[in-house]
C-alpha cells in the first residue's frame, strides 16, 4: 500500500492525517466487514413525493439496494446487512443504533466499513481502498470533491465505542475522538445518495450516461 506524499502547502487538520490515493498491490490481510445499513425508514424520500421505499426504487431495472450489494459482493469483503427487523425492538432507532447492531452481530470482524444502502453508484474500488487504508489507520473517511463520504472504516479498536452508538448522529462521536485518515477517492458514488426523488433522478441520469459510455 502506497500513499502519495502530502503536497507542499497542504495543512494537516487537528486530529487527522491526510491519506491520498491508494494503490492496491496485494490483497488486504485481515479483511474488515462491510456493514450495509438498510434499516432506515427513508422518511425524506417519502416526503419528497415517493410512494415506495427508496431502497426498492429501480435504477436501470435494478433496485437501489441491489446496486449497492452488487458493489459490496464484487469487493470480496465479508458483509452484513442491518435490516429494519434488527432494530425493531428499539423505540426510535437511528443510524447509530443500526451501526451498533451491525457491529454486535459481527464480533469476529477485523474492522468495519459502514455503508448506507442508499448509495447506488458506490464503486467497488472505493470499498477496497478504504479497507486497505484501514490496515494502517484506526479510522478512514473517504472524501470526494470536498465532501465526506462512505464507507467510513473503523479498526477493531473502535468496537466498544461503536457498540455504544444510538440515535441519528451515526458515528460522529467516534470520529471526534479518534485520529482520522482522510482518503481522497475519485468516486462520486461515495457521496451521492438517493434521499429524495430528485436525487434518485439525478443518479439515474448519471447511470444512463455511464452505460452509454
Amino acid at each position: 500500500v502506497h500513499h502519495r506524499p502530502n503536497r507542499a502547502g497542504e495543512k494537516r487538520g487537528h486530529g487527522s492525517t491526510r491519506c491520498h490515493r491508494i494503490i492496491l498491490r496485494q490483497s488486504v490481510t485481515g479483511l474488515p466487514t462491510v456493514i450495509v445499513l438498510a434499516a432506515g425508514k427513508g422518511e425524506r424520500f417519502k416526503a419528497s413525493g415517493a410512494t415506495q421505499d427508496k431502497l426498492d426504487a429501480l435504477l436501470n431495472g435494478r433496485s437501489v439496494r441491489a446496486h449497492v450489494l452488487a458493489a459490496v459482493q464484487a469487493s470480496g469483503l465479508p458483509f452484513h446487512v442491518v435490516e429494519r427487523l434488527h432494530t425493531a425492538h428499539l423505540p426510535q432507532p437511528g443510524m447509530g443504533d443500526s451501526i451498533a447492531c451491525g457491529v454486535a452481530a459481527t464480533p469476529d470482524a477485523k474492522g468495519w466499513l459502514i455503508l448506507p444502502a442508499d448509495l447506488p453508484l458506490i464503486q467497488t474500488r472505493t470499498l477496497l481502498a478504504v479497507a486497505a487504508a484501514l490496515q494502517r489507520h484506526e479510522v478512514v473517511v473517504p472524501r470526494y470533491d470536498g465532501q465526506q463520504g462512505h464507507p467510513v472504516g473503523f479498526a477493531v479498536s473502535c468496537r466498544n465505542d461503536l457498540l455504544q452508538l444510538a440515535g441519528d448522529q451515526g458515528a460522529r462521536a467516534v470520529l471526534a475522538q479518534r485520529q482520522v485518515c482522510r482518503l481522497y477517492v475519485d468516486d462520486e458514488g461515495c457521496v451521492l445518495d438517493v434521499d429524495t426523488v430528485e436525487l434518485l433522478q439525478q443518479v439515474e441520469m448519471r447511470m444512463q450516461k455511464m452505460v452509454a459510455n
Side-chain angles (χ1 to χ4, degrees), residues 20-209:
H20 296 273
R21 300 186 192 283
I22 287 183
I23 301 172
L24 297 178
R25 287 194 168 182
Q26 56 188 9
S27 59
V28 177
T29 59
L31 297 175
T33 296
V34 183
I35 301 296
V36 182
L37 305 180
K41 296 180 180 179
E43 294 176 347
R44 280 189 61 198
F45 187 72
K46 293 176 181 177
S48 70
T51 57
Q52 64 180 146
D53 189 297
K54 67 178 177 179
L55 299 186
D56 295 328
L58 295 180
L59 290 168
N60 284 4
R62 202 181 209 179
S63 71
V64 169
R65 172 200 292 258
H67 281 288
V68 174
L69 290 178
V72 172
Q73 291 169 342
S75 74
L77 297 170
F79 68 94
H80 174 79
V81 183
V82 179
E83 307 282 4
R84 288 177 188 168
L85 62 89
H86 298 141
T87 59
H89 61 289
L90 300 170
Q92 291 184 315
M95 182 181 286
D97 299 287
S98 292
I99 294 171
C101 285
V103 172
T106 54
D108 297 324
K110 306 302 181 183
W112 299 271
L113 305 189
I114 307 302
L115 179 66
D118 63 350
L119 294 164
L121 294 182
I122 188 70
Q123 299 296 305
T124 297
R125 66 176 182 267
T126 299
L127 300 176
L128 293 174
V130 174
L134 200 58
Q135 305 303 298
R136 293 188 175 185
H137 302 278
E138 195 171 33
V139 179
V140 180
V141 177
R143 292 186 67 84
Y144 174 82
D145 196 25
Q147 302 177 67
Q148 178 174 312
H150 285 92
V152 177
F154 294 96
V156 175
S157 57
C158 299
R159 184 176 187 274
N160 289 338
D161 288 338
L162 293 172
L163 289 172
Q164 299 302 314
L165 294 175
D168 292 324
Q169 296 303 307
R172 291 179 186 175
V174 182
L175 292 176
Q177 299 169 2
R178 306 280 177 162
Q179 188 84 356
V180 177
C181 164
R182 297 175 182 174
L183 176 67
Y184 292 86
V185 298
D186 184 18
D187 179 10
E188 183 183 31
C190 79
V191 298
L192 191 56
D193 59 29
V194 292
D195 268 357
T196 66
V197 172
E198 183 179 1
L199 286 171
L200 179 70
Q201 294 170 343
Q202 290 179 20
V203 168
E204 186 169 31
M205 287 189 291
R206 282 170 170 76
M207 198 169 285
Q208 290 173 350
K209 289 181 180 178

